[in-house]
Amino acid sequence: MSSPQPPYQRQFRHKAPTCNRQNTGAKRQLYTATHSRNSSPPEDGTSSWPEMPTLSTNPTPYQIFQLDKTAPYKKARFYELVKLYHPDRHGHCCDFPHIDSLPHDTKMKRYRLIVAANNILSDPTKRRAYDLWGAGWTNHTDVGGAPNTQDPGMKTRWSGFHDNGSPAGNATWEDWEKWYRRGTPDHQSPVYCSNGEFISFVAFVVFLSAIWQASRVDGHQKHFNEQVELIHNDASKNLHQRRSETRELSNDSAILRFVRAREHRTNTYIVGTGTQRLLIDTGEGKPSWSACLSSILTSERATISDALLTHWHPDHVGGVDDLLKLCPDARIHKHSATDGQLPIEDGQSFTTQGAVLRALHCPGHTTDHMALVLQEEDAIFTGDNVLGHGTAVFEDLTTYMTTLQRMHEHFSGRAYPGHGAVIDDGRQRIIEYIEHRQQREREVLHVLMEARRSSRLQNEDTNQGARTPMEMVKIIYTDVPETLHEPAARGVEQVLCKLAEEGKVVRSEDGQTWLIAGMSSSGR
């Protein structure tokens, strides 16, 4: 004898067929009325399953979990049912033989319904969509019965939707997502091919890549050969010119010319790692420099954004025009800026990818001279204040000595000079420069002191104790060829001017010679 059907099942059976062709508002009202009543739990307790009028009719999520529509969802009932109907438990529910006796397909169907019901009721958004439209649940006769298969829109657009575009009775959650995303383009479908076609395509791409690489390498090789040929021609021209100029010179004159030529080979530096880089100085303006710069920028796939000129001398600014031909957008910076240039201020920073340069105003070699500190290496670009070979010339020795001391305090690594090789211990080289200039001062004072002592011993006029810079050079620079005495005399003149500022020497009345301070033209 079968047990009587619960009231909610009778309500479900009587109301469902009347909703098949009703509008959306009627469906919503009926759905709400169906679930607003209390779904009392079956008498079987935990293992009970809602009884349906037909085998093909599924219970609602609320019926499965014995939950009132307005009650908050809790997962206790879900965990209990999963333990009973999980596929791994089939045949092992000893406490519930009536479940074990069910066909496997029936238990799997119930398990899927349990999981689907949990997905709907545990998500507020999906639960509300289900409450309004029955979305996400299959074969809900309580929301209008089976979908209207006579509606052409159902066949041509989506499963489970009426032609008015609203979700209807038999819509699944995937159908609801489709309806929500209606109007958005479909995702691109994958293209399948056979293994042979794929291998042929890969081989074709590799073949095209090989041709492109070969063309690219050939182009680079031609450009490289052209640059090498240009540099060789320029070097041969310079060598021929120097041989012609020195053919009739003496050995001392040839040495002097060589030293001067060596000093005028200017170093230029490209700073940075990105596509926009900094350039320090531009050389003398020789074609070989322009060709070399072009080759480097091409190989590095970079350009010059800013050129920083350490000072105004032609061997440092001569290549500006060539640079602007290669990099028309480059900005030119110099301390004492002229037309079209930007000024460099003391302490100003220049930043590019991989490097930051900080400018120092370092007069001495020239009044507008700048040095640049490379922060990443704690190194310095010295310009012509400190060289990689020999000593530097200067306009004012007092200012130059102050500058050397300031440069010494602003870095601790390498020094990159305007001429000559890179100096690994830049601070030590600056100390050597300072000590060298102090030694020259002592030598000049010693020469003048000896001249005064000699004139007193010989009872000569005090002016006989005066010496010209050239006379001092011949005494001090005994190991230097006479062809270099003239530039050495200019250096001695600078030493004498510094000593005069310090009150240690004075210029004589004739303006050509110098004396130790304190000697007069009338005293002995």
Side-chain angles (χ1 to χ4, degrees):
M1 180 175 178
S2 61
S3 60
Q5 295 178 348
Y8 69 84
Q9 292 184 351
R10 291 196 295 273
Q11 174 74 11
F12 177 86
R13 184 173 66 250
H14 292 307
K15 293 294 183 179
T18 64
C19 298
N20 191 39
R21 298 295 292 177
Q22 292 181 1
N23 59 30
T24 303
K27 294 175 186 178
R28 184 185 298 116
Q29 293 173 1
L30 175 59
Y31 191 85
T32 303
T34 301
H35 287 284
S36 63
R37 291 172 172 79
N38 182 26
S39 299
S40 59
E43 297 176 357
D44 293 334
T46 300
S47 64
S48 63
W49 187 260
E51 294 185 12
M52 295 291 106
T54 64
L55 293 177
S56 61
T57 304
N58 293 329
T60 68
Y62 294 101
Q63 292 170 345
I64 292 175
F65 293 131
Q66 302 175 4
L67 182 68
D68 186 83
K69 185 175 184 298
T70 59
Y73 176 66
K74 297 181 180 180
K75 289 193 174 183
R77 172 74 173 164
F78 168 70
Y79 293 140
E80 295 171 355
L81 293 177
V82 165
K83 292 178 182 178
L84 296 176
Y85 290 99
H86 193 281
D88 293 342
R89 297 279 295 172
H90 291 180
H92 301 284
C93 295
C94 300
D95 295 335
F96 303 99
H98 65 286
I99 295 179
D100 274 343
S101 63
L102 292 174
H104 176 75
D105 291 343
T106 301
K107 288 187 284 186
M108 285 301 301
K109 178 180 178 181
R110 291 185 179 183
Y111 175 72
R112 294 190 182 97
L113 289 173
I114 292 167
V115 173
N118 173 71
N119 290 339
I120 291 174
L121 297 184
S122 62
D123 187 325
T125 302
K126 293 182 179 180
R127 181 172 179 174
R128 186 171 184 276
Y130 171 76
D131 290 343
L132 294 175
W133 306 102
W137 199 248
T138 307
N139 295 330
H140 267 328
T141 57
D142 63 323
V143 196
N148 183 5
T149 56
Q150 301 302 318
D151 188 344
M154 298 291 294
K155 298 179 180 179
T156 57
R157 295 190 63 188
W158 347 83
S159 168
F161 294 152
H162 287 290
D163 58 353
N164 61 3
S166 63
N170 197 34
T172 64
W173 184 256
E174 290 77 9
D175 293 330
W176 173 259
E177 292 292 335
K178 287 182 180 180
W179 180 81
Y180 182 76
R181 294 194 301 267
R182 66 191 184 282
T184 59
D186 294 337
H187 295 289
Q188 184 176 358
S189 301
V191 177
Y192 299 95
C193 63
S194 65
N195 291 340
E197 292 173 340
F198 177 75
I199 293 174
S200 301
F201 174 75
V202 172
F204 179 71
V205 172
V206 171
F207 177 72
L208 290 181
S209 300
I211 294 177
W212 179 77
Q213 287 287 0
S215 302
R216 186 168 176 266
V217 170
D218 184 61
H220 278 292
Q221 184 65 36
K222 289 181 179 179
H223 178 73
F224 177 77
N225 291 337
E226 291 173 357
Q227 299 303 321
V228 170
E229 184 68 20
L230 183 61
I231 293 173
H232 284 176
N233 292 339
D234 185 63
S236 299
K237 180 180 178 180
N238 290 337
L239 180 61
H240 179 73
Q241 181 180 356
R242 290 177 183 175
R243 285 178 176 175
S244 299
E245 293 174 351
T246 59
R247 186 174 292 116
E248 303 299 331
L249 296 178
S250 63
N251 288 340
D252 288 345
S253 298
I255 292 173
L256 176 60
R257 178 178 290 276
F258 169 77
V259 172
R260 288 177 176 173
R262 182 184 65 174
E263 291 176 349
H264 284 97
R265 290 188 176 182
T266 306
N267 296 334
T268 61
Y269 299 92
I270 300 174
V271 181
T273 59
T275 57
Q276 300 287 324
R277 303 193 183 182
L278 305 176
L279 176 68
I280 300 177
D281 287 332
T282 62
E284 306 93 324
K286 293 183 177 179
S288 57
W289 177 84
S290 177
C292 182
L293 178 64
S294 175
S295 177
I296 292 174
L297 294 179
T298 300
S299 63
E300 295 286 332
R301 297 181 181 177
T303 187
I304 301 299
S305 62
D306 297 87
L308 313 178
L309 306 178
T310 56
H311 58 289
W312 66 268
H313 283 173
D315 58 329
H316 291 258
V317 304
V320 169
D321 292 340
D322 292 331
L323 169 64
L324 292 176
K325 291 178 183 178
L326 294 173
C327 307
D329 296 329
R331 297 179 292 268
I332 311 299
H333 303 259
K334 188 161 66 67
H335 178 69
S336 300
T338 56
D339 293 342
Q341 297 177 347
L342 301 174
I344 303 178
E345 303 295 339
D346 185 55
Q348 183 177 353
S349 293
F350 298 89
T351 303
T352 188
Q353 183 176 332
V356 176
L357 294 175
R358 178 166 49 86
L360 295 177
H361 184 214
C362 297
H365 179 70
T366 61
T367 57
D368 70 335
H369 199 286
M370 302 297 295
L372 298 158
V373 177
L374 178 60
Q375 294 186 4
E376 284 70 18
E377 294 185 14
D378 197 16
I380 192 170
F381 294 91
T382 63
D384 283 2
N385 275 340
V386 179
L387 303 179
H389 54 74
T391 57
V393 296
F394 40 83
E395 293 179 350
D396 182 85
L397 181 57
T398 302
T399 303
Y400 181 59
M401 294 292 283
T402 303
T403 284
L404 290 177
Q405 188 61 45
R406 186 185 186 212
M407 293 172 62
H408 182 269
E409 296 171 354
H410 279 80
F411 80 108
S412 61
R414 289 181 172 183
Y416 295 96
H419 302 275
V422 174
I423 306 164
D424 290 330
D425 192 344
R427 286 168 59 90
Q428 180 59 35
R429 177 62 61 87
I430 291 179
I431 292 174
E432 293 173 1
Y433 267 44
I434 294 173
E435 292 177 347
H436 175 73
R437 289 302 159 194
Q438 292 173 343
Q439 175 65 23
R440 287 291 185 236
E441 290 180 22
R442 291 191 293 269
E443 291 173 349
V444 167
L445 287 173
H446 178 73
V447 169
L448 292 179
M449 291 289 292
E450 286 296 315
R452 183 178 67 173
R453 189 177 67 84
S454 177
S455 65
R456 284 180 175 178
L457 291 175
Q458 297 178 12
N459 237 359
E460 295 178 349
D461 183 82
T462 55
N463 281 336
Q464 294 300 318
R467 293 289 183 267
T468 65
M470 183 58 73
E471 290 172 340
M472 297 182 200
V473 166
K474 292 181 178 181
I475 297 172
I476 298 171
Y477 293 87
T478 55
D479 57 340
V480 175
E482 290 187 6
T483 51
L484 299 178
H485 282 188
E486 184 177 348
R490 290 195 292 270
V492 170
E493 183 85 20
Q494 290 289 338
V495 172
L496 290 168
C497 290
K498 179 178 182 294
L499 294 174
E501 291 176 4
E502 297 171 354
K504 296 178 181 180
V505 300
V506 295
R507 192 188 295 268
S508 62
E509 294 178 355
D510 60 11
Q512 302 297 319
T513 58
W514 294 79
L515 300 164
I516 289 292
M519 292 187 64
S520 64
S521 59
S522 59
R524 288 185 178 271

